[in-house]
Amino acid sequence: MTSAAKVPQIVLNDGNRIPQFGFGVFQIPPDDTAAAVRTALELGYRHIDTAEMYRNEKGVGQGVRDAGIERDEVFITSKLNNGFHKPDDARRAFDATIDALGFDYVDLFLIHWPLPTLYDGDFVSTWKTLEEFKKDGRARSIGVSNFGIHHLEELARDTEIVPAVNQIEVHPYFTNDAVRAYGLDHTIVTEAWSPIAQGDVLDDPVLGQIAQKIGKTPAQVVLRWHIERGDIVFPKSVTTERIRANIDIFDFELSDDQIDAITGLDKGVAGRRGPDPDTFDWIPK
Ligand SMILES: NC(=O)c1ccc[n+]([C@@H]2O[C@H](COP(=O)([O-])OP(=O)(O)OC[C@H]3O[C@@H](n4cnc5c(N)ncnc54)[C@H](OP(=O)(O)O)[C@@H]3O)[C@@H](O)[C@H]2O)c1
């Protein structure tokens, strides 16, 4: 069986399906993105996670075309950049995403950050604008990223469509379980960003011992842990051997004790690598 055939599909709350495993392109330089995406697709990946902020959406579209993969065989996510939360700006930004990818729809479009200290704290009208993109069919599904429980509660109070996903920082040093649990209770699937904490967790002795015991690498063990917890993951790599190894995690399982040992590495907020969504207010120049 090919790697792509082994990746489970998750059914979102709007009925659409998403491959549970994919390829992230954060920090891949625009000029290198098409080649990296093509390599990933050739190695069986069928889900690509990009963002306007990464400035490499054009390379993602080009990589899909270069690989000769039909558009409906690959799941593509992009995200609204922080400077464009006002409805008219969001509409223009979404048009630019569609143009840059060179396709007429995205599978999933997210609000990248809630930015509660900007725009008078209003991410609700931004979300209502994403609802337009879902209704006109150019975003098959819509969701959010870096939303905490209180941000999600505010959306639930004031808007119609429940986000299909919430893409948040999750890895063994920051398991983010309260936000994950809220998602589970409200049909919002968690996507775990920086799933290997950009490499920081890989030297942990607990992971090293498990990896040695089952004959896998620490990265494969961590990625498998995410899969068994039910989250969606899309590790980033520009290294062909790592791209190949990262998806090779569908021929083994972790025991309950191994899963618990990895979850037990959580350091709470001290383990966070990225910004705090309650205070993050960066707008790219
Ligand atoms: N929504 C958000 O705010 C947000 C924030 C961050 C990330 N994301 C998404 O999540 C994706 C993944 O997160 P990330 O890129 O931050 O970090 P990551 O996937 O946890 O780690 C990527 C880093 O780990 C290295 N690496 C990859 N596979 C490896 C392996 N098997 N062994 C050793 N090192 C390995 C890569 O190096 P090489 O490339 O040199 O091989 C790269 O430096 C992003 O690409 C993006 O799509 C979203």
Side-chain angles (χ1 to χ4, degrees):
M1 211 195 306
T2 62
S3 303
K6 291 183 194 163
V7 173
Q9 303 266 325
I10 289 185
V11 180
L12 300 171
N13 61 18
D14 59 8
N16 291 330
R17 302 168 82 86
I18 180 171
Q20 194 184 357
F21 188 90
F23 186 65
V25 298
F26 176 43
Q27 292 179 323
I28 303 186
D31 288 348
D32 300 341
T33 302
V37 166
R38 179 181 178 160
T39 300
L41 292 168
E42 287 173 351
L43 292 170
Y45 291 65
R46 289 292 181 272
H47 168 180
I48 311 291
D49 184 88
T50 183
E52 292 169 357
M53 196 187 284
Y54 308 164
R55 304 191 190 285
N56 56 16
E57 293 167 304
K58 198 169 168 196
V60 169
Q62 193 57 48
V64 173
R65 284 182 286 278
D66 290 349
I69 303 279
E70 295 297 325
R71 174 65 187 91
D72 62 2
E73 285 177 30
V74 58
F75 190 103
I76 301 176
T77 298
S78 194
K79 316 183 191 89
L80 181 71
N81 209 343
N82 291 351
F84 306 129
H85 274 215
K86 290 187 179 160
D88 276 344
D89 294 336
R91 291 181 190 111
R92 276 190 290 271
F94 185 65
D95 289 348
T97 280
I98 295 284
D99 275 359
L101 287 167
F103 297 121
D104 48 17
Y105 68 94
V106 291
D107 294 279
L108 178 61
F109 196 65
L110 310 180
I111 300 180
H112 204 150
W113 288 88
L115 306 174
T117 65
L118 300 179
Y119 302 105
D120 298 322
D122 173 24
F123 44 78
V124 167
S125 54
T126 314
W127 178 252
K128 288 182 176 167
T129 312
L130 264 65
E131 290 182 342
E132 294 172 14
F133 308 152
K134 176 153 175 70
K135 285 174 185 162
D136 73 23
R138 291 182 304 151
R140 298 274 164 96
S141 297
I142 53 174
V144 294
S145 177
N146 300 299
F147 274 48
I149 293 172
H150 61 104
H151 306 129
L152 294 168
E153 284 172 341
E154 195 170 332
L155 282 191
R157 263 195 309 274
D158 295 337
T159 67
E160 193 183 322
I161 299 177
V162 178
V165 308
N166 185 18
Q167 185 178 129
I168 54 174
E169 180 176 354
V170 182
H171 47 72
Y173 289 163
F174 185 55
T175 58
N176 218 341
D177 280 324
V179 184
R180 292 177 66 252
Y182 179 93
L184 199 59
D185 284 348
H186 294 82
T187 71
I188 302 168
V189 176
T190 295
E191 298 192 321
W193 64 250
S194 291
I196 57 171
Q198 298 191 339
D200 279 3
V201 297
L202 301 181
D203 292 330
D204 192 283
V206 168
L207 292 169
Q209 280 158 18
I210 296 171
Q212 199 178 19
K213 185 160 184 208
I214 62 181
K216 289 283 175 181
T217 67
Q220 288 170 322
V221 168
V222 176
L223 294 169
R224 182 72 209 178
W225 170 81
H226 286 285
I227 294 292
E228 293 191 25
R229 277 159 50 94
D231 292 352
I232 294 169
V233 274
F234 24 79
K236 170 265 177 187
S237 178
V238 291
T239 314
T240 301
E241 271 323 303
R242 290 175 174 172
I243 299 174
R244 189 194 312 278
N246 288 347
I247 197 175
D248 184 17
I249 56 168
F250 296 98
D251 61 351
F252 72 102
E253 286 179 5
L254 299 170
S255 69
D256 290 347
D257 285 351
Q258 288 167 335
I259 290 173
D260 291 347
I262 299 168
T263 308
L265 298 174
D266 182 33
K267 301 174 189 209
V269 290
R272 208 192 262 289
R273 288 197 91 262
D276 181 342
D278 277 326
T279 53
F280 189 57
D281 61 359
W282 181 65
I283 293 188
K285 294 267 181 298

